[in-house]
Amino acid sequence: MTAEETAAEETATEETATGGTGTDGTAAEEAFEEVRVGLARLLADLPRLPSALRVQARDVAIEVTWDAPAAPAAPAGAPTAADAAAAPPALPAAPQQSDAGLLHVVAPTVGVFYRAPEPGAAPFVDVGTVVESGEQVAIVEAMKLFLPVEAERRGRVAAVLVQDGASVEYGEPLLALEPIEA
């Protein structure tokens, strides 16, 4: 084998090992999905959402920026005049039953909870809707990533526990479902 052939073979091997420059893009798509999932996990573990996030693929660069902390908040449960003016209308009251036997659909990450796919659209589900395992029931937006919220089991929506547009924490219950056997 000549030196040129050896160099060409080493280049082809390196491209294959690093995702290559193939035309099908599957390696790039898989890498993008790994980065997206990793970012969602990173954001879920942060104490609060950053004001900016920059990710660079080559030569690896991750940059996270937080604004200065806001002024101290009022005591929990003490609404301000601004809160009252800006608050969306309240959700219907949850059914008067105990949580015993109800399943909760929880937030997959820290972010903002949305009941509908876009502003003005009908919500994914309402109280009384029967959902199947794996069915999308809401969205949580985290740093411009819109992550689907899916039911883990079949059930009937008993209550929507979070206001549309509200900030949510990782693992926070969003919906209560009454289990329905298949």
Side-chain angles (χ1 to χ4, degrees):
M1 201 180 265
T2 68
E4 290 86 12
E5 291 172 331
T6 303
E9 185 175 323
E10 288 173 358
T11 301
T13 302
E14 182 179 305
E15 286 179 354
T16 301
T18 61
T21 57
T23 58
D24 64 303
T26 56
E29 290 170 4
E30 290 173 7
F32 176 78
E33 181 63 16
E34 285 183 41
V35 169
R36 188 189 68 75
V37 169
L39 284 174
R41 286 187 185 136
L42 170 72
L43 292 170
D45 292 338
L46 294 175
R48 64 184 178 102
L49 288 178
S51 60
L53 174 65
R54 177 180 166 265
V55 178
Q56 180 177 340
R58 298 288 179 184
D59 297 334
V60 184
I62 296 178
E63 192 175 302
V64 182
T65 306
W66 282 270
D67 289 334
T80 65
D83 292 337
L91 288 174
Q96 296 299 318
Q97 69 182 60
S98 70
D99 272 353
L102 292 180
L103 305 170
H104 290 106
V105 177
V106 298
T109 187
V110 172
V112 179
F113 171 74
Y114 294 108
R115 294 184 60 200
E118 60 187 37
F124 288 102
V125 297
D126 284 311
V127 173
T129 302
V130 174
V131 297
E132 299 297 327
S133 177
E135 182 178 340
Q136 185 171 357
V137 296
I139 295 172
V140 171
E141 183 233 342
M143 297 301 297
K144 303 297 179 196
L145 292 173
F146 293 89
L147 305 170
V149 177
E150 299 174 346
E152 292 183 15
R153 298 221 9 227
R154 184 170 196 257
R156 178 174 285 106
V157 178
V160 178
L161 305 172
V162 178
Q163 294 278 348
D164 190 46
S167 295
V168 295
E169 297 293 323
Y170 171 76
E172 181 177 342
L174 305 173
L175 303 171
L177 299 180
E178 297 172 9
I180 298 176
E181 296 303 317

